[in-house]
Amino acid sequence: MAKPVPKIALACQDGGSHAAFVASILLSLLRPERRARLKLVALSGTSGGALCAALAWAGLVENGPDEATQRLRNFWRDLETHDLVDSVANFWSVFIARLPVTAEVSPYLYAPIAERKLRELLRTHLDLERLPKPSSVRASPKLFIGASDVLSGERVVFHGETLTYDDLIASAAVPPLFRAVRADGRLYWDGLFTTNPPVREFTDLAQRPDEIWIVQVNPQRRESEPRTIQDITDRRNELAGNLSLAQELAFIEKINELRAQHSGLAERYKAIRIRLVELGIPDLDYPSKLDRSHGFIQSLLANGEERAEWFFDERSVWPRPGTPSATAVQPMRGQAESELAT
């Protein structure tokens, strides 16, 4: 008897141009020999990870894996620098971001070009107007996009069935490169502040996943104390990007624990295994998330191609040293268990 194909929910972290690593993971998993080894029931993402997840989802919804592959490749091909003028602009933007002293300017004092360029790319390669309208079709696989409500501080998750360009741009609107994005009467910033990426929604899917696969872009550990202002800024952004991921993983861990302890929960939830693969290029600084040079993007794509196979063996099993820890919410455990008992 053939071994059952596991149902997989895939969650993609943020990362600016580092999200080319996410795109490469998706491209690898969409290849015929690998997609035959899994059943993808859901995708989620935040910021750059959201763009990759949405492009793959749109292709799958419209015309299957080959269409998803084409959308991802075309998007990243167009995002790279292609001519001398663009290459020079890219060089100076990264160079200036790496200066030891930089002045951050409010995006409300000028017309930011990042949103306009991103919107153009999405209209070209995502092309939401072309997708099937029935929500039942757009829900297979499910798509969840993370964002942060600027005013309330709430964690917000958009769904593929009702996805708009504003939703995706909201997920990627990291200040001060973007102004807050208005959608549905609310103001949004990048989802990295609250849900990076959405994971807990996977536990309520109609098709419950057997495994949740995480593509992590921000490094969890550093070997030395950050002392320069640039190193401090880099580490601050890494910690901010990983805190909510640790909390999402702790939620799944808690569901698994409580399910094992209480038979009533075992009927509602299933045990879910977590696998995590992280970007394998060390010492990338925060300004490199702005780098769209051909060589840099290609190095990220190559690393994703190499690491995609980790999802199919023990190298990806979570938790393991160097991966996000569930300790971020441990103080709540006793309280949660006592409330359940009553």
Side-chain angles (χ1 to χ4, degrees), residues 211-223:
E211 298 185 357
I212 293 174
W213 292 4
I214 311 291
V215 183
Q216 183 182 1
V217 175
N218 298 302
Q220 182 67 24
R221 297 182 61 85
R222 288 287 178 178
E223 297 303 322

Side-chain angles (χ1 to χ4, degrees), residues 156-220:
V156 178
V157 177
F158 303 115
H159 293 241
E161 293 92 319
T162 56
L163 188 68
T164 67
Y165 296 115
D166 285 340
D167 296 341
L168 278 171
I169 293 171
S171 179
V174 59
L177 294 178
F178 287 78
R179 296 175 180 175
V181 175
R182 185 175 297 276
D184 300 326
R186 301 169 74 176
L187 291 172
Y188 297 103
W189 274 348
D190 196 309
L192 75 89
F193 301 110
T194 56
T195 179
N196 189 27
V199 172
R200 67 188 71 173
E201 281 72 20
F202 294 152
T203 63
D204 289 322
L205 291 171
Q207 293 191 73
R208 302 289 168 83
D210 301 302
E211 298 185 357
I212 293 174
W213 292 4
I214 311 291
V215 183
Q216 183 182 1
V217 175
N218 298 302
Q220 182 67 24

Side-chain angles (χ1 to χ4, degrees), residues 254-308:
K254 175 52 62 181
I255 290 291
N256 286 341
E257 288 179 1
L258 294 178
R259 179 187 176 280
Q261 297 168 11
H262 303 278
S263 58
L265 285 178
E267 297 175 1
R268 180 176 178 184
Y269 296 102
K270 68 186 298 183
I272 300 176
R273 190 179 197 183
I274 296 173
R275 293 182 180 273
L276 183 147
V277 169
E278 63 269 49
L279 175 62
I281 302 177
D283 302 324
L284 293 179
D285 60 7
Y286 182 74
S288 69
K289 292 185 175 184
L290 304 175
D291 189 355
R292 299 180 293 109
S293 64
H294 174 78
F296 184 60
I297 296 297
Q298 291 303 311
S299 69
L300 292 161
L301 292 171
N303 190 246
E305 171 66 23
E306 172 193 337
R307 295 224 162 181

Side-chain angles (χ1 to χ4, degrees), residues 8 14 65 69 105 111 130 142 184 231 272 275 316 325-326 329:
I8 303 301
D14 80 306
T69 296
V105 179
R130 204 171 79 193
K142 284 284 294 183
D184 300 326
D231 288 344
I272 300 176
R275 293 182 180 273
S316 62
S325 168
V329 295

Side-chain angles (χ1 to χ4, degrees), residues 7 40 99 143 212 232 253 267 282 301:
K7 293 189 287 292
L40 188 62
L99 291 176
L143 177 69
I212 293 174
I232 291 169
E253 183 187 57
E267 297 175 1
L301 292 171

